[in-house]
Every structure is written in C-alpha cells, then in structure tokens.
C-alpha cells in the first residue's frame, strides 16, 4: 500500500482489513522462546512500555516518519496507546496525535507548509479531537512487524535466528538476535507495517531484522530493513525502521480527551 499524507492516513486506513487472517508459523525456536515468554508476562500483568520509532524509505510516495508514545497491555497485547506521529512531506510537515483505548479511537492532526500555512486540519479547529470506533486498520494484531509482537517473533524464529553479544544500550547489557524472513505481503495500516505469509498482496518482501534484549529478555531496540517487491519480483523500495523501547512496567496513564474537546466523529 502506498504511503498516504497525514490527511488521508487517519481517514483511509481505519477501514483496512487485517490481511491473511491468523499468521501461521512453526513453534518458536531458541533463543526467542524466552523473549516471547517475557513479553507475554508483561501482557498478563497489564504492564506498559514507552517507545519511539523512526522510519525511512519504502514504496513511493513513502514519507520519513517519527513516532513516539506508549502502549498499555492486556492479555492479548496492546489495549491502549497514546502516540504522536510527525511526517515530512514535500514542502510541509504533518503532525498527528492518536489515542486508542480498547475500541475507542481519538485523533487530531494537521499538515503545515514550510511557510507556516495550514493546508489541512482535522478537526478544523486546532486542539479539538475526532472520535471513532477502531476498525481493523488500527487494531494491534499478530501481523505487525514489531519487536514486541509475539506473532512476528514466532515467525522469524521458525526461519532461524542467531544470537550474539549486543553490547550495552542505555546502560543495559544486551543480547543481539538477528535473522531474515521472506513474506508474501508487506503493507501499511494505522497500527504499523503488517505482513502476511499466505496471501500474496501488492508488495511481498524480505525482512532483515535485529532485536536487542536486556537481561530480563525484554526488547530494548528493534531494527527491520524491509525490501518491498512487486508480485513479479521487481524491487519497489526499501524501508528501514528502528524502534527503541523504554520503561517496561513503568506506570503509564492513557485517558480519553475531555468530552468538550471532541467535535466530530468518523
């Protein structure tokens, strides 16, 4: 799926269907078993983590992105999220904030030209929010390319993963896990970059990944280099994504915007 401007992302990707249904992969092989179990324990504890994402490249007209925020978990994964996304478009900058709590979704965003003129705002008045019920494109799922997604880790483990000393990251000794996996579909939806291993999509691709975990087996950094291809095998672009995870278990409070600031619905 081609990258859309901020003006279209919030409106358009809410209705994207999660591709391919459940992801089928062989049971995770060592050494990622312990990582998957550590993450699932955080889910069971209804814990949380803060994160920051940098993305570059991808199929045209992809934009460079910076995303930061926090996740709160329940037994099945992400339950609530609060994130801010900044995109750099041609002669403009887009900024959006999105809050997810269960199936409730709140958003606000704008695109502003380099000359300081707002070319798009949603809602039309800055500081207000729109509300909608989360559809498939927004919901966390087992199909996301993310270092804290057990579905992705189980898939890449089935293709083989190597482990080595990862050095020190922000004062924590790490283990570096890495590998490569080929998928039949890579696409973008509101929750992130998703993959499929069964149904062929617009772009298939190869993912070369690295995951740095701490002594507690929890991820601290994730890198994925994704080579997108067309069905006939031609290259369509390469995207590099880096994610940093901080503050595992640190209390995070994610709340809905005040009702008087909600001015519209999807």
């Amino acid at each position: 799926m081609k990258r859309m401007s901020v003006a279209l992302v919030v409106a358009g990707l809410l209705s994207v269907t999660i591709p391919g249904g459940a992801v089928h992969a062989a049971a995770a092989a060592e050494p990622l078993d312990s990582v998957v179990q550590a993450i699932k324990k955080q889910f069971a504890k209804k814990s949380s983590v803060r994160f920051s994402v940098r993305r570059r490249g991808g199929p045209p007209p992809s934009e460079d992105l910076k995303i930061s925020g926090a996740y709160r978990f329940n037994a099945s994964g992400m339950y609530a999220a609060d994130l801010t996304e900044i995109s750099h478009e041609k002669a403009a900058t887009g900024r959006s904030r999105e809050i997810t709590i269960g199936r409730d979704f709140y958003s606000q965003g704008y695109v502003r030209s380099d000359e300081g003129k707002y070319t798009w705002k949603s809602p039309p008045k800055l500081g207000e929010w729109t509300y909608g019920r989360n559809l498939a494109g927004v919901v966390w799922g087992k199909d996301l390319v993310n270092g804290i997604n057990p579905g992705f880790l189980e898939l890449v483990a089935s293709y083989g993963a190597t482990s080595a000393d990862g050095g020190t990251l922000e004062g924590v000794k790490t283990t570096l896990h890495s590998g490569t996996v080929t998928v039949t579909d890579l696409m973008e939806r509101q929750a992130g970059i998703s993959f499929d291993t069964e149904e062929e999509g617009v772009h298939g691709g190869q993912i070369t990944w690295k995951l740095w975990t701490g002594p507690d087996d929890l991820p601290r950094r994730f890198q994925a280099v994704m080579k997108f291809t067309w069905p006939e095998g031609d290259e369509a672009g390469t995207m590099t994504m880096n994610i940093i995870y901080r503050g595992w278990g640190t209390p995070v409070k994610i709340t809905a915007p005040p009702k008087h600031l909600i001015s519209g619905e999807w």
Side-chain angles (χ1 to χ4, degrees):
M1 179 176 289
K2 294 183 178 180
R3 172 70 190 169
M4 303 178 184
S5 68
V6 172
L8 297 177
V9 167
V10 175
L13 293 183
L14 291 176
S15 60
V16 174
T17 301
I18 296 177
V23 175
H24 299 286
E30 289 290 351
L32 291 182
D33 272 345
S34 59
V35 179
V36 170
Q37 292 306 312
I39 293 169
K40 288 183 175 180
K41 285 181 181 179
Q42 295 295 309
F43 291 175
K45 292 178 180 178
K46 299 182 179 179
S47 185
S48 57
V49 69
R50 297 187 181 276
F51 64 91
S52 59
V53 183
R54 286 179 178 265
R55 275 178 29 196
R56 291 184 179 275
S62 295
E63 302 156 2
D64 293 346
L65 289 180
K66 294 180 181 178
I67 306 169
S68 60
Y71 291 132
R72 290 197 62 185
F73 305 119
N74 63 11
S76 60
M78 190 275 285
Y79 171 76
D82 186 346
L83 60 89
T84 298
E85 176 180 305
I86 299 174
S87 63
H88 297 287
E89 305 176 18
K90 186 177 180 180
T93 299
R95 183 183 181 94
S96 65
R97 186 178 173 194
E98 300 158 13
I99 295 175
T100 294
I101 303 174
R103 300 291 294 186
D104 294 320
F105 178 73
Y106 307 88
S107 67
Q108 55 180 203
Y110 63 79
V111 176
R112 184 167 58 184
S113 71
D114 292 346
E115 290 75 29
K117 180 181 179 181
Y118 289 96
T119 59
W120 174 78
K121 290 183 287 186
S122 176
K125 185 176 180 180
L126 291 177
E128 294 187 345
W129 296 78
T130 57
Y131 166 78
R133 293 289 282 174
N134 276 342
L135 300 178
V138 179
V139 176
W140 175 276
K142 294 181 179 180
D143 64 337
L144 292 178
V145 180
N146 195 305
I148 60 173
N149 174 19
F152 178 77
L153 297 181
E154 289 166 0
L155 171 71
V156 298
S158 72
Y159 275 71
T162 62
S163 298
D165 185 346
T168 300
L169 180 63
E170 297 184 341
V172 175
K173 292 183 178 181
T174 66
T175 299
L176 171 60
H177 311 280
S178 59
T180 300
V181 60
T182 299
V183 295
T184 58
D185 189 25
L186 279 171
M187 65 173 290
E188 182 173 11
R189 58 187 183 85
Q190 196 77 6
I193 303 298
S194 64
F195 67 90
D196 197 339
T197 58
E198 296 178 350
E199 299 295 328
E200 188 174 273
V202 175
H203 297 120
Q206 183 182 77
I207 306 170
T208 301
W209 61 275
K210 296 180 180 179
L211 181 68
W212 289 259
T213 58
D216 54 6
D217 292 318
L218 289 171
R220 297 304 198 276
R221 180 186 174 191
F222 174 68
Q223 180 187 81
V225 178
M226 292 166 276
K227 293 183 178 180
F228 292 75
T229 59
W230 296 104
E232 57 269 24
D234 296 334
E235 287 194 17
T238 299
M239 176 183 290
T240 299
M241 177 170 65
N242 284 282
I243 308 177
I244 299 294
Y245 309 99
R246 295 185 175 96
W248 283 99
T250 302
V252 169
K253 188 175 183 180
I254 298 176
T255 58
K259 289 184 178 180
H260 71 276
L261 293 179
I262 300 174
S263 63
E265 295 188 1
W266 293 111

Short mmCIF file of all heavy atoms in Angstrom, two decimals, residues 180-234:
data_model
loop_
_atom_site.label_atom_id
_atom_site.label_comp_id
_atom_site.label_asym_id
_atom_site.label_seq_id
_atom_site.Cartn_x
_atom_site.Cartn_y
_atom_site.Cartn_z
N THR A 180 16.62 -13.25 8.95
CA THR A 180 15.95 -12.78 7.74
C THR A 180 14.74 -13.65 7.47
O THR A 180 14.77 -14.86 7.69
CB THR A 180 16.91 -12.84 6.53
OG1 THR A 180 18.04 -12.02 6.78
CG2 THR A 180 16.21 -12.33 5.27
N VAL A 181 13.66 -13.03 7.03
CA VAL A 181 12.44 -13.76 6.72
C VAL A 181 11.83 -13.18 5.45
O VAL A 181 11.92 -11.97 5.20
CB VAL A 181 11.43 -13.69 7.89
CG1 VAL A 181 11.04 -12.25 8.19
CG2 VAL A 181 10.19 -14.52 7.60
N THR A 182 11.23 -14.03 4.62
CA THR A 182 10.54 -13.60 3.41
C THR A 182 9.04 -13.78 3.59
O THR A 182 8.59 -14.82 4.08
CB THR A 182 11.02 -14.41 2.19
OG1 THR A 182 12.42 -14.20 2.02
CG2 THR A 182 10.30 -13.96 0.93
N VAL A 183 8.27 -12.75 3.23
CA VAL A 183 6.81 -12.80 3.40
C VAL A 183 6.14 -12.50 2.07
O VAL A 183 6.74 -11.93 1.15
CB VAL A 183 6.35 -11.78 4.46
CG1 VAL A 183 6.90 -12.14 5.83
CG2 VAL A 183 6.76 -10.35 4.10
N THR A 184 4.88 -12.90 1.96
CA THR A 184 4.15 -12.72 0.70
C THR A 184 3.51 -11.35 0.58
O THR A 184 3.13 -10.93 -0.51
CB THR A 184 3.04 -13.78 0.57
OG1 THR A 184 2.16 -13.69 1.70
CG2 THR A 184 3.64 -15.18 0.51
N ASP A 185 3.38 -10.63 1.71
CA ASP A 185 2.75 -9.31 1.66
C ASP A 185 3.33 -8.43 2.75
O ASP A 185 3.49 -8.85 3.90
CB ASP A 185 1.23 -9.42 1.83
CG ASP A 185 0.52 -8.10 1.55
OD1 ASP A 185 1.07 -7.27 0.81
OD2 ASP A 185 -0.59 -7.91 2.08
N LEU A 186 3.66 -7.21 2.40
CA LEU A 186 4.04 -6.16 3.34
C LEU A 186 3.17 -4.95 3.02
O LEU A 186 3.12 -4.51 1.86
CB LEU A 186 5.51 -5.78 3.19
CG LEU A 186 6.55 -6.66 3.86
CD1 LEU A 186 7.95 -6.26 3.40
CD2 LEU A 186 6.45 -6.54 5.39
N MET A 187 2.50 -4.42 4.02
CA MET A 187 1.65 -3.26 3.77
C MET A 187 1.60 -2.37 4.99
O MET A 187 2.05 -2.76 6.08
CB MET A 187 0.23 -3.71 3.40
CG MET A 187 -0.52 -4.44 4.51
SD MET A 187 -2.25 -4.75 4.10
CE MET A 187 -2.91 -3.08 4.16
N GLU A 188 1.06 -1.18 4.81
CA GLU A 188 0.95 -0.24 5.90
C GLU A 188 -0.50 -0.09 6.32
O GLU A 188 -1.39 0.02 5.47
CB GLU A 188 1.50 1.12 5.48
CG GLU A 188 1.44 2.16 6.62
CD GLU A 188 2.14 3.45 6.25
OE1 GLU A 188 2.47 3.62 5.07
OE2 GLU A 188 2.34 4.28 7.14
N ARG A 189 -0.72 -0.14 7.62
CA ARG A 189 -2.02 0.22 8.17
C ARG A 189 -1.79 1.09 9.39
O ARG A 189 -0.66 1.33 9.79
CB ARG A 189 -2.86 -1.03 8.48
CG ARG A 189 -2.26 -2.02 9.45
CD ARG A 189 -3.16 -3.27 9.51
NE ARG A 189 -2.73 -4.27 10.46
CZ ARG A 189 -3.05 -4.27 11.75
NH1 ARG A 189 -3.78 -3.29 12.25
NH2 ARG A 189 -2.64 -5.24 12.55
N GLN A 190 -2.87 1.59 9.96
CA GLN A 190 -2.72 2.59 11.02
C GLN A 190 -1.86 2.11 12.18
O GLN A 190 -1.11 2.87 12.77
CB GLN A 190 -4.10 3.01 11.54
CG GLN A 190 -4.10 4.28 12.36
CD GLN A 190 -4.01 5.52 11.49
OE1 GLN A 190 -4.05 5.43 10.27
NE2 GLN A 190 -3.88 6.66 12.12
N ALA A 191 -1.92 0.82 12.50
CA ALA A 191 -1.17 0.29 13.64
C ALA A 191 0.30 0.09 13.34
O ALA A 191 1.09 -0.11 14.26
CB ALA A 191 -1.80 -1.02 14.11
N GLY A 192 0.70 0.14 12.06
CA GLY A 192 2.10 -0.07 11.71
C GLY A 192 2.24 -0.83 10.40
O GLY A 192 1.30 -0.96 9.62
N ILE A 193 3.45 -1.36 10.15
CA ILE A 193 3.70 -2.18 8.97
C ILE A 193 3.29 -3.61 9.28
O ILE A 193 3.72 -4.19 10.28
CB ILE A 193 5.19 -2.14 8.56
CG1 ILE A 193 5.62 -0.69 8.32
CG2 ILE A 193 5.41 -2.98 7.32
CD1 ILE A 193 4.89 0.00 7.18
N SER A 194 2.45 -4.19 8.43
CA SER A 194 1.97 -5.55 8.67
C SER A 194 2.49 -6.49 7.59
O SER A 194 2.93 -6.08 6.52
CB SER A 194 0.44 -5.58 8.68
OG SER A 194 -0.09 -5.23 7.42
N PHE A 195 2.44 -7.77 7.90
CA PHE A 195 2.94 -8.80 6.99
C PHE A 195 1.92 -9.92 6.85
O PHE A 195 1.02 -10.07 7.67
CB PHE A 195 4.26 -9.38 7.49
CG PHE A 195 4.13 -10.17 8.78
CD1 PHE A 195 3.89 -11.53 8.75
CD2 PHE A 195 4.25 -9.54 10.02
CE1 PHE A 195 3.74 -12.26 9.93
CE2 PHE A 195 4.12 -10.26 11.20
CZ PHE A 195 3.87 -11.63 11.15
N ASP A 196 2.08 -10.70 5.80
CA ASP A 196 1.28 -11.92 5.63
C ASP A 196 2.22 -12.99 5.07
O ASP A 196 3.18 -12.67 4.36
CB ASP A 196 0.11 -11.69 4.68
CG ASP A 196 -0.96 -12.76 4.77
OD1 ASP A 196 -0.65 -13.87 5.25
OD2 ASP A 196 -2.10 -12.50 4.37
N THR A 197 1.96 -14.22 5.40
CA THR A 197 2.78 -15.32 4.90
C THR A 197 2.01 -16.27 4.01
O THR A 197 2.56 -17.28 3.56
CB THR A 197 3.35 -16.13 6.09
OG1 THR A 197 2.26 -16.63 6.89
CG2 THR A 197 4.26 -15.26 6.95
N GLU A 198 0.74 -15.95 3.73
CA GLU A 198 -0.09 -16.85 2.94
C GLU A 198 -0.63 -16.18 1.69
O GLU A 198 -0.40 -16.63 0.58
CB GLU A 198 -1.24 -17.41 3.78
CG GLU A 198 -0.76 -18.27 4.95
CD GLU A 198 -1.92 -18.77 5.79
OE1 GLU A 198 -3.05 -18.30 5.57
OE2 GLU A 198 -1.69 -19.63 6.66
N GLU A 199 -1.36 -15.07 1.87
CA GLU A 199 -1.97 -14.38 0.74
C GLU A 199 -0.97 -13.41 0.11
O GLU A 199 -0.32 -12.64 0.80
CB GLU A 199 -3.22 -13.63 1.20
CG GLU A 199 -4.31 -14.51 1.78
CD GLU A 199 -4.89 -15.45 0.74
OE1 GLU A 199 -4.94 -15.05 -0.46
OE2 GLU A 199 -5.29 -16.57 1.11
N GLU A 200 -0.88 -13.43 -1.20
CA GLU A 200 0.00 -12.51 -1.91
C GLU A 200 -0.67 -11.16 -2.04
O GLU A 200 -1.82 -11.06 -2.45
CB GLU A 200 0.35 -13.07 -3.29
CG GLU A 200 1.43 -12.28 -4.01
CD GLU A 200 1.86 -12.94 -5.31
OE1 GLU A 200 2.77 -13.80 -5.25
OE2 GLU A 200 1.27 -12.61 -6.35
N GLY A 201 0.04 -10.09 -1.67
CA GLY A 201 -0.51 -8.76 -1.74
C GLY A 201 0.14 -7.92 -2.81
O GLY A 201 0.81 -8.43 -3.71
N VAL A 202 -0.04 -6.61 -2.72
CA VAL A 202 0.56 -5.69 -3.68
C VAL A 202 2.08 -5.78 -3.62
O VAL A 202 2.77 -5.79 -4.63
CB VAL A 202 0.09 -4.25 -3.41
CG1 VAL A 202 0.82 -3.26 -4.33
CG2 VAL A 202 -1.41 -4.13 -3.59
N HIS A 203 2.60 -5.83 -2.38
CA HIS A 203 4.05 -5.93 -2.17
C HIS A 203 4.37 -7.13 -1.29
O HIS A 203 3.87 -7.21 -0.17
CB HIS A 203 4.60 -4.67 -1.49
CG HIS A 203 4.45 -3.43 -2.29
ND1 HIS A 203 3.74 -2.34 -1.84
CD2 HIS A 203 4.91 -3.11 -3.52
CE1 HIS A 203 3.77 -1.40 -2.76
NE2 HIS A 203 4.47 -1.83 -3.79
N GLY A 204 5.18 -8.04 -1.79
CA GLY A 204 5.80 -9.01 -0.91
C GLY A 204 7.11 -8.42 -0.42
O GLY A 204 7.34 -7.22 -0.55
N GLY A 205 7.97 -9.25 0.15
CA GLY A 205 9.25 -8.67 0.54
C GLY A 205 10.06 -9.53 1.47
O GLY A 205 9.63 -10.59 1.94
N GLN A 206 11.25 -9.03 1.72
CA GLN A 206 12.19 -9.68 2.63
C GLN A 206 12.45 -8.74 3.80
O GLN A 206 12.66 -7.54 3.62
CB GLN A 206 13.49 -9.98 1.91
CG GLN A 206 14.52 -10.73 2.75
CD GLN A 206 15.81 -10.96 1.99
OE1 GLN A 206 16.62 -10.06 1.84
NE2 GLN A 206 15.99 -12.18 1.49
N ILE A 207 12.44 -9.30 5.01
CA ILE A 207 12.69 -8.51 6.22
C ILE A 207 13.98 -9.01 6.86
O ILE A 207 14.08 -10.17 7.26
CB ILE A 207 11.54 -8.66 7.23
CG1 ILE A 207 10.18 -8.32 6.58
CG2 ILE A 207 11.79 -7.76 8.45
CD1 ILE A 207 8.99 -8.68 7.44
N THR A 208 14.96 -8.14 6.95
CA THR A 208 16.18 -8.43 7.69
C THR A 208 16.07 -7.70 9.02
O THR A 208 15.92 -6.48 9.05
CB THR A 208 17.43 -7.96 6.92
OG1 THR A 208 17.47 -8.64 5.66
CG2 THR A 208 18.70 -8.27 7.70
N TRP A 209 16.10 -8.43 10.11
CA TRP A 209 15.76 -7.85 11.41
C TRP A 209 16.86 -8.07 12.44
O TRP A 209 17.65 -9.01 12.37
CB TRP A 209 14.45 -8.45 11.93
CG TRP A 209 14.54 -9.94 12.13
CD1 TRP A 209 14.34 -10.91 11.19
CD2 TRP A 209 14.92 -10.62 13.33
NE1 TRP A 209 14.56 -12.16 11.74
CE2 TRP A 209 14.91 -12.02 13.06
CE3 TRP A 209 15.24 -10.20 14.62
CZ2 TRP A 209 15.23 -12.97 14.02
CZ3 TRP A 209 15.56 -11.15 15.58
CH2 TRP A 209 15.54 -12.51 15.28
N LYS A 210 16.87 -7.18 13.43
CA LYS A 210 17.76 -7.29 14.59
C LYS A 210 16.96 -6.89 15.83
O LYS A 210 16.17 -5.95 15.78
CB LYS A 210 18.97 -6.36 14.45
CG LYS A 210 19.90 -6.71 13.30
CD LYS A 210 21.08 -5.75 13.25
CE LYS A 210 22.02 -6.09 12.10
NZ LYS A 210 23.17 -5.13 12.04
N LEU A 211 17.17 -7.62 16.91
CA LEU A 211 16.46 -7.35 18.15
C LEU A 211 17.45 -7.42 19.32
O LEU A 211 18.10 -8.44 19.52
CB LEU A 211 15.34 -8.37 18.37
CG LEU A 211 14.50 -8.20 19.64
CD1 LEU A 211 13.66 -6.93 19.57
CD2 LEU A 211 13.59 -9.42 19.86
N TRP A 212 17.54 -6.32 20.05
CA TRP A 212 18.39 -6.26 21.22
C TRP A 212 17.53 -6.44 22.47
O TRP A 212 16.55 -5.71 22.66
CB TRP A 212 19.10 -4.92 21.32
CG TRP A 212 20.19 -4.68 20.31
CD1 TRP A 212 21.53 -4.79 20.53
CD2 TRP A 212 20.04 -4.26 18.95
NE1 TRP A 212 22.24 -4.46 19.39
CE2 TRP A 212 21.35 -4.14 18.39
CE3 TRP A 212 18.93 -3.98 18.13
CZ2 TRP A 212 21.57 -3.74 17.08
CZ3 TRP A 212 19.16 -3.58 16.82
CH2 TRP A 212 20.45 -3.47 16.30
N THR A 213 17.85 -7.44 23.31
CA THR A 213 17.08 -7.70 24.52
C THR A 213 17.98 -7.55 25.75
O THR A 213 19.18 -7.81 25.68
CB THR A 213 16.45 -9.10 24.50
OG1 THR A 213 17.50 -10.08 24.36
CG2 THR A 213 15.47 -9.23 23.36
N GLY A 214 17.37 -7.17 26.88
CA GLY A 214 18.11 -6.99 28.11
C GLY A 214 18.24 -8.28 28.90
O GLY A 214 17.78 -9.35 28.46
N PRO A 215 18.84 -8.23 30.10
CA PRO A 215 18.99 -9.42 30.94
C PRO A 215 17.66 -10.05 31.32
O PRO A 215 17.61 -11.24 31.64
CB PRO A 215 19.72 -8.88 32.18
CG PRO A 215 20.41 -7.64 31.70
CD PRO A 215 19.50 -7.04 30.68
N ASP A 216 16.58 -9.27 31.28
CA ASP A 216 15.25 -9.78 31.59
C ASP A 216 14.54 -10.33 30.35
O ASP A 216 13.36 -10.69 30.40
CB ASP A 216 14.39 -8.69 32.22
CG ASP A 216 14.33 -7.41 31.37
OD1 ASP A 216 14.88 -7.41 30.24
OD2 ASP A 216 13.77 -6.41 31.84
N ASP A 217 15.25 -10.38 29.21
CA ASP A 217 14.74 -10.88 27.93
C ASP A 217 13.73 -9.95 27.27
O ASP A 217 13.15 -10.30 26.23
CB ASP A 217 14.12 -12.29 28.06
CG ASP A 217 15.17 -13.34 28.37
OD1 ASP A 217 16.25 -13.28 27.77
OD2 ASP A 217 14.90 -14.21 29.23
N LEU A 218 13.52 -8.77 27.81
CA LEU A 218 12.59 -7.83 27.20
C LEU A 218 13.30 -6.98 26.14
O LEU A 218 14.45 -6.57 26.32
CB LEU A 218 11.98 -6.92 28.26
CG LEU A 218 10.99 -7.60 29.20
CD1 LEU A 218 10.60 -6.67 30.35
CD2 LEU A 218 9.73 -8.04 28.43
N PRO A 219 12.64 -6.72 25.01
CA PRO A 219 13.26 -5.94 23.94
C PRO A 219 13.61 -4.52 24.38
O PRO A 219 12.85 -3.87 25.09
CB PRO A 219 12.16 -5.92 22.86
CG PRO A 219 11.39 -7.18 23.09
CD PRO A 219 11.34 -7.31 24.59
N ARG A 220 14.77 -4.07 23.91
CA ARG A 220 15.22 -2.69 24.14
C ARG A 220 15.33 -1.92 22.83
O ARG A 220 15.15 -0.71 22.81
CB ARG A 220 16.58 -2.67 24.85
CG ARG A 220 16.59 -3.29 26.24
CD ARG A 220 15.55 -2.65 27.16
NE ARG A 220 15.77 -2.89 28.56
CZ ARG A 220 15.37 -3.95 29.23
NH1 ARG A 220 14.76 -4.93 28.58
NH2 ARG A 220 15.60 -4.08 30.52
N ARG A 221 15.64 -2.63 21.75
CA ARG A 221 15.73 -1.99 20.44
C ARG A 221 15.39 -3.02 19.37
O ARG A 221 15.69 -4.20 19.52
CB ARG A 221 17.14 -1.44 20.19
CG ARG A 221 17.30 -0.76 18.83
CD ARG A 221 18.74 -0.36 18.56
NE ARG A 221 18.88 0.16 17.20
CZ ARG A 221 20.04 0.39 16.59
NH1 ARG A 221 21.19 0.15 17.22
NH2 ARG A 221 20.08 0.85 15.35
N PHE A 222 14.75 -2.53 18.31
CA PHE A 222 14.38 -3.39 17.18
C PHE A 222 14.69 -2.66 15.89
O PHE A 222 14.41 -1.45 15.76
CB PHE A 222 12.89 -3.73 17.25
CG PHE A 222 12.37 -4.50 16.06
CD1 PHE A 222 12.77 -5.80 15.82
CD2 PHE A 222 11.48 -3.91 15.17
CE1 PHE A 222 12.28 -6.51 14.73
CE2 PHE A 222 10.99 -4.61 14.08
CZ PHE A 222 11.40 -5.91 13.86
N GLN A 223 15.27 -3.36 14.94
CA GLN A 223 15.53 -2.79 13.62
C GLN A 223 15.03 -3.75 12.55
O GLN A 223 15.28 -4.96 12.64
CB GLN A 223 17.01 -2.52 13.40
CG GLN A 223 17.32 -1.91 12.03
CD GLN A 223 18.80 -1.80 11.76
OE1 GLN A 223 19.44 -2.77 11.37
NE2 GLN A 223 19.36 -0.62 12.00
N ALA A 224 14.34 -3.22 11.57
CA ALA A 224 13.88 -4.04 10.44
C ALA A 224 14.19 -3.30 9.15
O ALA A 224 13.82 -2.13 8.99
CB ALA A 224 12.38 -4.31 10.53
N VAL A 225 14.88 -3.96 8.25
CA VAL A 225 15.11 -3.44 6.91
C VAL A 225 14.22 -4.25 5.97
O VAL A 225 14.43 -5.45 5.80
CB VAL A 225 16.59 -3.54 6.49
CG1 VAL A 225 16.78 -3.02 5.08
CG2 VAL A 225 17.47 -2.76 7.47
N MET A 226 13.22 -3.60 5.40
CA MET A 226 12.21 -4.28 4.61
C MET A 226 12.37 -3.93 3.14
O MET A 226 12.28 -2.76 2.75
CB MET A 226 10.81 -3.89 5.10
CG MET A 226 10.51 -4.42 6.49
SD MET A 226 9.05 -3.64 7.25
CE MET A 226 9.81 -2.14 7.94
N LYS A 227 12.64 -4.95 2.32
CA LYS A 227 12.76 -4.76 0.87
C LYS A 227 11.43 -5.14 0.23
O LYS A 227 11.07 -6.32 0.17
CB LYS A 227 13.90 -5.62 0.32
CG LYS A 227 15.28 -5.18 0.80
CD LYS A 227 16.38 -6.02 0.15
CE LYS A 227 17.75 -5.54 0.60
NZ LYS A 227 18.85 -6.34 -0.02
N PHE A 228 10.70 -4.15 -0.20
CA PHE A 228 9.41 -4.36 -0.83
C PHE A 228 9.60 -4.76 -2.29
O PHE A 228 10.46 -4.23 -2.99
CB PHE A 228 8.57 -3.08 -0.78
CG PHE A 228 8.12 -2.67 0.59
CD1 PHE A 228 9.01 -2.11 1.50
CD2 PHE A 228 6.79 -2.84 0.96
CE1 PHE A 228 8.59 -1.72 2.76
CE2 PHE A 228 6.36 -2.44 2.22
CZ PHE A 228 7.26 -1.89 3.12
N THR A 229 8.80 -5.72 -2.74
CA THR A 229 8.86 -6.14 -4.14
C THR A 229 7.45 -6.18 -4.72
O THR A 229 6.45 -6.30 -4.00
CB THR A 229 9.49 -7.54 -4.29
OG1 THR A 229 8.70 -8.48 -3.53
CG2 THR A 229 10.92 -7.55 -3.78
N TRP A 230 7.37 -6.05 -6.05
CA TRP A 230 6.12 -6.27 -6.75
C TRP A 230 5.94 -7.78 -6.95
O TRP A 230 6.90 -8.54 -6.86
CB TRP A 230 6.16 -5.58 -8.12
CG TRP A 230 6.26 -4.09 -8.03
CD1 TRP A 230 7.36 -3.33 -8.26
CD2 TRP A 230 5.22 -3.17 -7.69
NE1 TRP A 230 7.09 -2.00 -8.07
CE2 TRP A 230 5.78 -1.87 -7.72
CE3 TRP A 230 3.87 -3.32 -7.35
CZ2 TRP A 230 5.04 -0.73 -7.44
CZ3 TRP A 230 3.13 -2.17 -7.06
CH2 TRP A 230 3.71 -0.90 -7.12
N PRO A 231 4.71 -8.24 -7.22
CA PRO A 231 4.48 -9.68 -7.39
C PRO A 231 5.38 -10.33 -8.43
O PRO A 231 5.76 -11.49 -8.29
CB PRO A 231 3.00 -9.74 -7.82
CG PRO A 231 2.39 -8.53 -7.18
CD PRO A 231 3.45 -7.47 -7.25
N GLU A 232 5.76 -9.56 -9.47
CA GLU A 232 6.62 -10.16 -10.49
C GLU A 232 8.08 -10.18 -10.09
O GLU A 232 8.94 -10.65 -10.84
CB GLU A 232 6.48 -9.39 -11.81
CG GLU A 232 6.79 -7.90 -11.72
CD GLU A 232 5.55 -7.07 -11.39
OE1 GLU A 232 4.60 -7.64 -10.81
OE2 GLU A 232 5.54 -5.88 -11.73
N GLY A 233 8.41 -9.67 -8.89
CA GLY A 233 9.76 -9.77 -8.37
C GLY A 233 10.58 -8.50 -8.46
O GLY A 233 11.69 -8.45 -7.92
N ASP A 234 10.08 -7.47 -9.13
CA ASP A 234 10.82 -6.21 -9.22
C ASP A 234 10.83 -5.50 -7.87
O ASP A 234 9.86 -5.57 -7.11
CB ASP A 234 10.19 -5.30 -10.27
CG ASP A 234 10.28 -5.88 -11.67
OD1 ASP A 234 11.20 -6.68 -11.91
OD2 ASP A 234 9.42 -5.53 -12.51
#
